[in-house]
Amino acid sequence: PNLKMAISISEKMLSKPINELIIASIVVSVAILLMAFILIVKWIVPSTVRPINDFQYKLKDVMEKDLSKVDTQYQLKEILSLRDTFNLLLTDLNEKKEESILKSHKAGMAENAVSVLHNIGNIITSIVMRISNSSQTKDLQRLSTLLNKYHETVLTHLNSGNLEYFL
């Protein structure tokens, strides 16, 4: 009866049953909202916060070095997980080490091969320079020119057995 509404309908226009119906619906709505809030606070919040609180308490026990309160099954799982991860990392590290050693060995072999080839090239260059500067080369070139010039004649005398006479 003392309820004022924001709607521009006067109370006189409303009959008593409609006023009671509106009040009842408001009361029921508030009750439903209140029960929903209580349910959320009672069941949902604790189930969400409980693991965080448990972790905080376990962490506090570990920090205070009171390991008797820490779940040993949880510790064992964590230790095994860490062990497996460490073993994988160690295996990978050993593979990388072996790979690095093999690559270093191959690089050293290649460097030695380049050095040997360089030294052989130096020797060949030295030999070529000596041959090109010698007077024998000039004589051999003259002989080659003469043999090309008198090719037919040399062959004829060679076949007849008179090559010494010709030369």
Side-chain angles (χ1 to χ4, degrees):
N2 292 332
L3 180 66
K4 292 188 177 182
M5 298 182 64
I7 303 175
S8 64
I9 300 174
S10 67
E11 286 187 24
K12 294 177 184 176
M13 294 172 59
L14 297 174
S15 62
K16 188 173 180 181
I18 294 177
N19 280 338
E20 290 175 2
L21 183 64
I22 292 174
I23 292 173
S25 64
I26 292 174
V27 169
V28 169
S29 298
V30 169
I32 290 174
L33 287 174
L34 185 61
M35 287 184 352
F37 180 74
I38 289 172
L39 286 175
I40 289 173
V41 170
K42 181 118 175 128
W43 286 316
I44 295 177
V45 171
S47 66
T48 305
V49 174
R50 186 177 306 119
I52 296 171
N53 288 338
D54 290 347
F55 179 74
Q56 285 178 337
Y57 292 133
K58 287 178 183 179
L59 186 63
K60 182 181 174 190
D61 291 341
V62 169
M63 288 173 56
E64 293 173 356
K65 298 191 184 335
D66 185 8
L67 300 178
S68 63
K69 295 179 184 175
V70 178
D71 183 13
T72 56
Q73 190 67 20
Y74 176 76
Q75 283 180 331
L76 182 61
K77 286 179 184 177
E78 286 294 314
I79 290 171
L80 292 176
S81 174
L82 289 173
R83 181 204 62 190
D84 293 343
T85 304
F86 179 76
N87 285 338
L88 285 174
L89 289 173
L90 191 60
T91 302
D92 189 44
L93 182 64
N94 284 333
E95 288 173 1
K96 297 293 183 195
K97 179 182 174 187
E98 291 296 322
E99 185 179 313
S100 175
I101 289 171
L102 184 62
K103 285 181 180 180
S104 296
H105 178 70
K106 287 182 178 181
M109 289 174 56
E111 191 174 329
N112 285 339
V114 167
S115 176
V116 167
L117 289 174
H118 178 78
N119 290 337
I120 290 172
N122 286 345
I123 292 169
I124 291 173
T125 302
S126 175
I127 292 171
V128 167
M129 292 304 294
R130 285 187 185 171
I131 289 175
S132 67
N133 290 337
S134 73
S135 62
Q136 293 175 354
T137 304
K138 292 178 183 175
D139 292 340
L140 286 174
Q141 285 176 346
R142 276 193 358 226
L143 179 61
S144 173
T145 305
L146 285 173
L147 285 175
N148 285 336
K149 185 176 181 181
Y150 296 107
H151 172 253
E152 295 293 327
T153 310
V154 171
L155 282 179
T156 306
H157 286 290
L158 182 61
N159 290 336
S160 66
N162 294 330
L163 186 59
E164 299 92 22
Y165 170 73
F166 174 75
L167 289 176

